[in-house]
Amino acid sequence: MLENESAIFSAIVSVPFGFIGVRTEHGMISELVYLPERFREKAPVDNVAEQAANQIESYIAQPDFCFTLPLKPAGTAFQHKVWSAISSIPRGEVRTYGQIAKHIQSAPRAVGQACGANWYPLVIPCHRVTAAGGLGGFAHHDDETGFHLGVKRWLLAHEQVAGYTRESLWSPK
């Protein structure tokens, strides 16, 4: 990992599937990013980053944890509509892109694009949205054996979603 890669983060939190980068700006979270193994932990540089690191660790310890982070406004009105629908999905359950689309009167592909544009994964649990026939993509990635879908599998197993077990974490569904 190049040192300048981690410089943009206010904290980097170690999690079982890699790391989560936390970016802060003006006393708010401006982005959360799933990071692969080449990164290393970075101590929080400000109070908001420390709050985020503590809350991420709380979620990892207990999947029912509810985030209360100050989030910098981001996204379009349509993305907010999708993110609001996603945020209402209970832990342990999933919805399909089509179900979300029907609920907000849109199209599944547009829902998928809004999911991929989520600045605050975990806080807005886009991992709880799947394709009708399987896992679907995640964070604009759809490589069945890639890092991002591995993260999605881990999160679904962590939240005890039926069909996602610790034993099947890294196997394509």
Side-chain angles (χ1 to χ4, degrees), residues 15-162:
V15 291
F17 52 79
F19 297 89
I20 297 178
V22 177
R23 295 180 71 187
T24 62
E25 185 178 322
H26 306 299
M28 300 170 124
I29 303 296
S30 59
E31 186 176 20
L32 298 174
V33 181
Y34 295 121
L35 301 171
E37 289 292 330
R38 75 173 189 269
F39 284 83
R40 294 291 164 251
E41 277 190 285
K42 178 178 179 179
V45 299
D46 59 43
N47 289 339
V48 175
E50 183 173 5
Q51 183 182 2
N54 290 338
Q55 289 192 26
I56 290 166
E57 290 168 354
S58 293
Y59 167 81
I60 295 301
Q62 176 48 254
D64 283 324
F65 178 82
C66 294
F67 288 91
T68 58
L69 295 171
L71 304 177
K72 179 181 172 192
T76 66
F78 175 75
Q79 288 169 340
H80 284 266
K81 195 173 189 181
V82 171
W83 297 341
S84 177
I86 291 168
S87 294
S88 71
I89 302 169
R91 194 253 335 131
E93 297 181 22
V94 294
R95 301 289 184 271
T96 66
Y97 298 104
Q99 287 172 319
I100 298 291
K102 184 175 182 180
H103 176 72
I104 65 168
Q105 300 179 334
S106 184
R109 186 175 301 271
V111 169
Q113 291 298 312
C115 286
N118 179 5
W119 289 83
Y120 309 110
L122 286 188
V123 177
I124 300 171
C126 53
H127 58 276
R128 296 180 187 160
V129 183
T130 62
L135 191 60
F138 190 55
H140 289 304
H141 294 84
D142 61 4
D143 176 5
E144 278 290 319
T145 59
F147 170 73
H148 286 87
L149 287 183
V151 170
K152 186 172 185 174
R153 284 185 192 92
W154 190 94
L155 293 170
L156 293 174
H158 179 61
E159 294 184 355
Q160 301 174 343
V161 173

Side-chain angles (χ1 to χ4, degrees), residues 153-154 157 163-173:
R153 284 185 192 92
W154 190 94
Y164 295 90
T165 62
R166 300 259 182 235
E167 293 75 39
S168 66
L169 284 182
W170 304 103
S171 303
K173 288 274 176 204

